Amino acid sequence: MKRNGLLSQLVEKKQAKANRNVAKGAANFFFFLLPFAIFLVTLPAQAAKLQFWRFDASQNRLEFTTDEGVQPKAQLIANPTRLVIDLPGVRLGRPAVTQPGNGRSIQSLRVGQFDKDTTRIVVELAPGYTIDPNQVRFRGASPQNWTVQLPTPQLTSTPTSGNPSSLPPIGSTNPGTAIGATQVQSIQPTPDGFFIRTSGGQPQIRVQRTGDRRQTLVDLYGASISPSLSSRDFLVNRNGVSRVQVTQLQSSPSVVRLTLLMSSPSSGDWQASASGSNGIVLLPQSGTATNPGTSQPLPSTALATVRSVELDEGSRQLLIRSDRPIRYTSGWDRASGAYRITIPSAQLARSVQGPRLTASSPLLQVRLRQETPNTVAILVLPAAGTQIGDINQPSQQLLALQLQRSSLFPVPPSSGSVPGSSIPVPPATNVPPISLPRVPNGKVVVVIDPGHGGPDPGAVGVGGLQEKEIVMDIGRQVAAALEQQGVQAVLTRTTNNVDVDLEPRVSLAERINATLFVSIHANSISLSRPDINGLETYYYQSGAGLAKSIHNSVLQGTGIQDRGVRTARFYVLRKTSMPSVLVEVGFVTGRDDASKLSTSAYRKQMADSIARGILQYIR
C-alpha cells in the first residue's frame, strides 16, 4: 500500500510538472493578441494537427479542435474586415478549405496553411459590415478545444479609407496582371522611408492600417518575391517602424505583402507610390515644416540642429531644443524597451550631451543618436516611479516630454466579487505592513519585470482576471518598496498599454548592469481546475539563492499554498547574466488565488513580501 501510494504521488507530480511546462511555454514566446481575446496560457510542445473545425453561420460561432494544446493568435484587419486567427505549431495536413458564410453579413470562412508551422483561419465579413472587437469572445474548454463567438456584424455607413473600389480583394489576382509578373528584388531603408526595388513592371498597390494600428500592410498585386531576396525580416527602428517583414501570401499567390510593424499605435500612417518602372517608394504621411515666421516650406537640404536635451528645473519635463522648426514621431520602442523620439531632417550639435542624471532623477538614461545623416533619435528610459506622459511642441523649435512621478501606480481595486464570477472576495482587512530591512545606499540595481502587457494580456482567469494588470500593480509596488529602502529599482514596463518583447527586457538588465532580475507573472491552468492554487518560483543557474529567499518570504507574508522552487529554461532566466528569478504569484484560474489577487490589499501583501525577500538576499 505504501509503495502504491508513493507511485501514485510520483505519477501525479510528473503529470502536474508536464502540465506546467506546457503552460510556461507562453513566457518564452511573445505573441500579439487583441485586448478582447481571452486565452489560456498553453503552447504546444511539438507540431499539432487541426483535427476538427466548424463554423455555425446561424450562431456566428467557430469551433476548432487540435490534437495538442495550442495558443491562438488573433487580429482584426480592415479593408476588407476580417478576423484572422493563427494557430502556431499547427499543421492542417490537407488542402485549404473555404466555407460560405451566412449569405448576409459574413461572406466566408477560410482555413489554410499560412506557413509550414502555422494554420490560419479567416472569417471574412461581407463588404460594408464590421464587428466590435470588444465583443468577440474566445473560450478554451481545454488547451485543445476552442470556441470563438462573434457578435452580430453591423453595417457601417462610413466608407473605410485605403480600400478603393478599383483594388481587388485579398485572395484574387490583379485583373490583367499575370501571377508573379513583378518581382521584389530588395528593400532599402532611406533617410525618410523605404525604397522597394522591383523588376518586370509596376504592380498595383494597396496600403492599409490594421484596426489596432500596430501594423501597416502594403500589398503588391501581381508580384512575387525574387529568390535573390535572402532576408525577409528587417529590423528598422526608425520613423515609427520597428520592423519590416516580407511574405508571399499563400492564400493569394499573386500578392506580396510588406508588413510594417509600428513602434506605437500612435505612429503616423504611410503612403506608397511608384518610382519609375523599377521601384516603389514608401514614405510616412506627415506635415511639412516651415521657415520661422513664414509659411514657406523649409528646403529639403536644410537640417535642423538639436542644440540641447535637458530636464527643466523641476524635472517634470524633458526639453529638446533646436535651431530650426522640427517634426517628430514618438512612441515606445520594443527593441530597446525605451521611449523613442525620432526627429527627421535633423542633426545633433557637437556639443550636445544630454541631461546630467543623478540617483534622484526621474530618468535612468537618455541616449542621443545620429542614426542617419538626416535622422536624430532620442531614447528615454524612465526610472522606477516615473511614467512617460504626453509629448507636445510649445514652439516649432521646442519639444517637451512630460514626466509624471509617483511612488505608486494603484490599480482600481475590485470589491464584492470577481467580475463575472460567483467566487466571493474576502473583505478588506487592515494588513499590517511588513518590516523591510534597510540596505545602505550603493550601486545595487534591481530590474523588476512585470510580464506581458499591451495587447498581450497574459493568462486570463476567473471573471476575466488578467495577468498583465495583476503583475503590473505588484511590480510597481515592489519597485517603490525597494526605492524606499535605498535600492534603485528599474521597471521593464511602467504601464499596461505597452508590450515589451523578451529580448528587450533582458537587454535592459544587461545594459544597466543590473544586480538582480526579478520577473513577476501569474499562473494559469484550465478554468475547469479551480482547485489548483499556489506559489511557484523559478530560477535557471545563479538565481537559486534569490529564488529561495523570495519564495520563503512570500509564503511567510501571504500564507499562499507552497508549490515549490524549481529550475526552468525561461528566456529571461537563461539570457540574463545576473541572478534572476521568475515568480508566479498564484493561479488566476484558481478559486483561492483569483479571489485574493483581485484585491488591492492582497497585492500589497504580495509586493511587500517579494521586496522583503529581495532585500534579505541582498543583505
Side-chain angles (χ1 to χ4, degrees), residues 489-543:
V490 179
L491 288 162
T492 58
R493 65 179 178 94
T494 59
T495 173
N496 274 325
N497 298 325
V498 174
D499 53 4
V500 183
D501 276 335
L502 297 178
E503 193 278 332
R505 297 172 192 256
V506 172
S507 295
L508 169 63
E510 296 295 332
R511 189 167 61 248
I512 65 176
N513 195 26
T515 311
L516 304 173
F517 181 95
V518 178
S519 189
I520 302 176
H521 287 256
N523 225 328
S524 74
I525 199 169
S526 172
L527 287 168
S528 63
R529 295 298 307 274
D531 56 306
I532 297 181
N533 301 270
L535 172 74
E536 296 177 354
T537 307
Y538 292 87
Y539 69 95
Y540 178 53
Q541 287 181 333
S542 61

Side-chain angles (χ1 to χ4, degrees), residues 150-164:
L150 275 65
T152 301
Q154 302 294 323
L155 273 172
T156 174
S157 58
T158 304
T160 307
S161 61
N163 187 28

